[in-house]
Amino acid sequence: MLRFNVTLLYVWVAFPIAYAILKRYLFTPLAAILDQRERDEATAARVHAESLEELQKTIAAAERELSRARMEALKQREKLRGEGRAQWERKLAEAAAAARAAIDRASNEIDEQAKGAAQELPSRAQTLASELASKILGRKLAA
């Protein structure tokens, strides 16, 4: 038959005492630590999400600023390019005018020399003909 064993009574007494001790010194502090970890994790996740959102806002603002700076640089470049083109065209026109003036001066000088040569040519031709005839005849001709 069943006999009553004292160890069963010791187990029934020791179990609630062990449970109370473990609950007070192990389970409650461990639960508090785990709860604190969960709160810290939630806080870290919230801070991370806020940081990512702030980073995206900052990147968007930087990209807008960069785009604005690019547009200003393009406008400035086009302005400078237009100024450079105007200055180049002005210098080209000045060079063309100077070349036309030089050509006109040279043409006038050539015309003057041609007129001078045309006026001098009859008397020069007569002189040369006379010299040639005297050399051919071997004597000096009377003019």
Side-chain angles (χ1 to χ4, degrees):
M1 311 209 128
L2 286 176
R3 292 191 328 187
F4 184 71
N5 194 349
V6 178
T7 56
L8 181 62
L9 184 64
Y10 288 143
V11 169
W12 279 27
V13 170
F15 182 75
I17 293 171
Y19 179 75
I21 291 172
L22 286 174
K23 183 177 180 189
R24 168 126 170 103
Y25 294 108
L26 180 64
F27 300 145
T28 304
L30 188 58
I33 289 171
L34 291 176
D35 289 342
Q36 182 63 35
R37 272 192 181 174
E38 285 180 15
R39 285 192 301 271
D40 290 347
E41 182 182 344
T43 302
R46 183 177 41 80
V47 167
H48 182 257
E50 289 172 357
S51 296
L52 284 177
E53 185 178 321
E54 186 66 29
L55 177 65
Q56 289 173 348
K57 287 179 184 177
T58 304
I59 288 173
E63 286 178 351
R64 282 191 305 272
E65 182 65 23
L66 183 62
S67 176
R68 187 189 60 76
R70 276 191 190 130
M71 291 303 291
E72 285 183 22
L74 284 174
K75 286 178 186 176
Q76 184 69 19
R77 184 174 69 185
E78 288 303 317
K79 177 185 170 192
L80 290 174
R81 189 176 280 170
E83 289 174 1
R85 186 175 314 233
Q87 186 176 12
W88 178 75
E89 287 174 357
R90 184 176 37 83
K91 289 199 180 245
L92 185 63
E94 289 174 2
R100 276 196 291 299
I103 289 171
D104 289 343
R105 279 193 310 272
S107 293
N108 289 338
E109 187 177 321
I110 290 171
D111 287 343
E112 288 175 11
Q113 287 177 359
K115 285 178 187 176
Q119 288 174 357
E120 186 180 304
L121 186 61
S123 65
R124 180 93 172 136
Q126 192 174 20
T127 307
L128 284 175
S130 159
E131 286 178 11
L132 185 61
S134 63
K135 281 188 179 182
I136 291 175
L137 294 175
R139 61 182 175 93
K140 192 164 187 168
L141 295 175

